[in-house]
Short mmCIF file of all heavy atoms in Angstrom, two decimals:
data_model
loop_
_atom_site.label_atom_id
_atom_site.label_comp_id
_atom_site.label_asym_id
_atom_site.label_seq_id
_atom_site.Cartn_x
_atom_site.Cartn_y
_atom_site.Cartn_z
N THR A 439 -17.43 7.86 27.98
CA THR A 439 -17.45 9.08 27.41
C THR A 439 -16.12 9.86 27.32
O THR A 439 -15.64 10.29 26.36
CB THR A 439 -18.51 10.11 28.05
OG1 THR A 439 -19.80 9.40 28.05
CG2 THR A 439 -18.57 11.40 27.31
N ILE A 440 -15.37 9.67 28.52
CA ILE A 440 -14.06 10.25 28.54
C ILE A 440 -13.16 9.60 27.59
O ILE A 440 -12.23 10.06 26.91
CB ILE A 440 -13.52 10.15 30.05
CG1 ILE A 440 -14.31 11.28 30.90
CG2 ILE A 440 -12.00 10.50 30.03
CD1 ILE A 440 -13.99 11.31 32.27
N LEU A 441 -13.32 8.15 27.56
CA LEU A 441 -12.38 7.42 26.71
C LEU A 441 -12.55 7.71 25.32
O LEU A 441 -11.51 7.77 24.51
CB LEU A 441 -12.66 5.88 26.96
CG LEU A 441 -11.76 4.85 26.12
CD1 LEU A 441 -10.36 5.14 26.46
CD2 LEU A 441 -12.12 3.48 26.52
N ILE A 442 -13.80 7.98 24.88
CA ILE A 442 -14.07 8.32 23.38
C ILE A 442 -13.34 9.74 23.21
O ILE A 442 -12.81 9.97 22.07
CB ILE A 442 -15.60 8.37 23.11
CG1 ILE A 442 -16.20 7.01 23.21
CG2 ILE A 442 -15.83 9.00 21.83
CD1 ILE A 442 -17.59 6.90 23.08
N GLY A 443 -13.47 10.57 24.14
CA GLY A 443 -12.79 11.93 23.89
C GLY A 443 -11.34 11.83 23.86
O GLY A 443 -10.70 12.52 23.01
N ILE A 444 -10.69 10.92 24.59
CA ILE A 444 -9.25 10.63 24.51
C ILE A 444 -8.90 10.04 23.16
O ILE A 444 -7.82 10.42 22.59
CB ILE A 444 -8.90 9.77 25.68
CG1 ILE A 444 -8.98 10.41 27.02
CG2 ILE A 444 -7.35 9.28 25.49
CD1 ILE A 444 -8.72 9.59 28.28
N LEU A 445 -9.76 9.20 22.68
CA LEU A 445 -9.46 8.59 21.41
C LEU A 445 -9.43 9.72 20.35
O LEU A 445 -8.66 9.68 19.31
CB LEU A 445 -10.53 7.48 21.02
CG LEU A 445 -10.30 6.14 21.81
CD1 LEU A 445 -11.53 5.23 21.54
CD2 LEU A 445 -8.87 5.61 21.45
N MET A 446 -10.42 10.71 20.36
CA MET A 446 -10.45 11.77 19.50
C MET A 446 -9.25 12.62 19.52
O MET A 446 -8.75 13.13 18.53
CB MET A 446 -11.70 12.66 19.82
CG MET A 446 -13.03 11.84 19.40
SD MET A 446 -14.45 12.66 20.03
CE MET A 446 -14.55 14.14 18.96
N ILE A 447 -8.65 12.84 20.72
CA ILE A 447 -7.45 13.66 20.82
C ILE A 447 -6.24 12.89 20.15
O ILE A 447 -5.43 13.47 19.43
CB ILE A 447 -7.07 13.88 22.30
CG1 ILE A 447 -8.08 14.81 23.03
CG2 ILE A 447 -5.61 14.31 22.47
CD1 ILE A 447 -7.88 14.97 24.52
N GLY A 448 -6.30 11.50 20.26
CA GLY A 448 -5.20 10.69 19.54
C GLY A 448 -5.40 10.86 18.06
O GLY A 448 -4.37 11.06 17.42
N VAL A 449 -6.64 11.01 17.53
CA VAL A 449 -6.79 11.20 16.07
C VAL A 449 -6.32 12.69 15.79
O VAL A 449 -5.55 12.82 14.75
CB VAL A 449 -8.27 11.13 15.74
CG1 VAL A 449 -8.53 11.66 14.30
CG2 VAL A 449 -8.74 9.77 15.78
N ALA A 450 -6.57 13.72 16.52
CA ALA A 450 -6.18 15.01 16.26
C ALA A 450 -4.66 15.12 16.22
O ALA A 450 -4.09 15.71 15.36
CB ALA A 450 -6.72 15.95 17.36
N PHE A 451 -3.98 14.34 17.26
CA PHE A 451 -2.63 14.42 17.22
C PHE A 451 -1.89 13.70 16.09
O PHE A 451 -1.03 14.31 15.37
CB PHE A 451 -2.03 13.82 18.56
CG PHE A 451 -0.62 13.64 18.64
CD1 PHE A 451 0.22 14.81 19.05
CD2 PHE A 451 0.14 12.61 18.26
CE1 PHE A 451 1.69 14.73 19.09
CE2 PHE A 451 1.53 12.57 18.27
CZ PHE A 451 2.24 13.56 18.69
N ARG A 452 -2.52 12.62 15.74
CA ARG A 452 -1.96 11.82 14.57
C ARG A 452 -1.95 12.64 13.27
O ARG A 452 -1.17 12.83 12.48
CB ARG A 452 -2.67 10.53 14.53
CG ARG A 452 -2.24 9.54 13.34
CD ARG A 452 -0.78 9.06 13.57
NE ARG A 452 0.23 9.71 12.76
CZ ARG A 452 1.41 9.32 12.75
NH1 ARG A 452 1.94 8.36 13.46
NH2 ARG A 452 2.32 10.03 12.12
N VAL A 453 -3.32 13.04 12.92
CA VAL A 453 -3.59 13.69 11.77
C VAL A 453 -2.84 15.15 11.78
O VAL A 453 -2.30 15.55 10.69
CB VAL A 453 -5.09 13.95 11.52
CG1 VAL A 453 -5.36 14.86 10.34
CG2 VAL A 453 -5.85 12.68 11.38
N GLY A 454 -2.75 15.81 12.90
CA GLY A 454 -2.12 16.98 13.00
C GLY A 454 -0.62 16.92 12.67
O GLY A 454 -0.09 17.75 11.83
N TYR A 455 -0.09 15.88 13.18
CA TYR A 455 1.43 15.62 12.95
C TYR A 455 1.71 15.39 11.40
O TYR A 455 2.58 15.99 10.84
CB TYR A 455 1.86 14.45 13.86
CG TYR A 455 3.30 14.05 13.47
CD1 TYR A 455 4.50 14.81 14.07
CD2 TYR A 455 3.65 13.00 12.65
CE1 TYR A 455 5.70 14.49 13.72
CE2 TYR A 455 4.90 12.61 12.31
CZ TYR A 455 5.98 13.41 12.85
OH TYR A 455 7.22 13.07 12.47
N ASP A 456 0.86 14.36 10.92
CA ASP A 456 1.03 14.07 9.45
C ASP A 456 0.87 15.37 8.47
O ASP A 456 1.74 15.55 7.68
CB ASP A 456 0.06 13.12 9.13
CG ASP A 456 0.30 11.69 9.55
OD1 ASP A 456 1.34 11.43 10.14
OD2 ASP A 456 -0.56 10.85 9.49
N ASN A 457 0.04 16.21 8.82
CA ASN A 457 -0.24 17.39 7.96
C ASN A 457 0.76 18.44 8.21
O ASN A 457 1.00 19.31 7.40
CB ASN A 457 -1.66 17.92 8.15
CG ASN A 457 -2.61 16.85 7.31
OD1 ASN A 457 -2.71 16.89 6.13
ND2 ASN A 457 -3.21 16.04 8.05
N MET A 458 1.25 18.59 9.47
CA MET A 458 2.34 19.66 9.77
C MET A 458 3.50 19.18 8.93
O MET A 458 4.17 20.09 8.32
CB MET A 458 2.56 19.57 11.28
CG MET A 458 3.63 20.45 11.64
SD MET A 458 4.14 20.36 13.40
CE MET A 458 4.89 18.83 13.48
#
Side-chain angles (χ1 to χ4, degrees):
T439 302
I440 289 175
L441 181 55
I442 292 173
I444 291 171
L445 289 173
M446 291 169 71
I447 288 176
V449 168
F451 177 81
R452 177 73 258 182
V453 175
Y455 174 79
D456 286 348
N457 286 280
M458 178 184 69

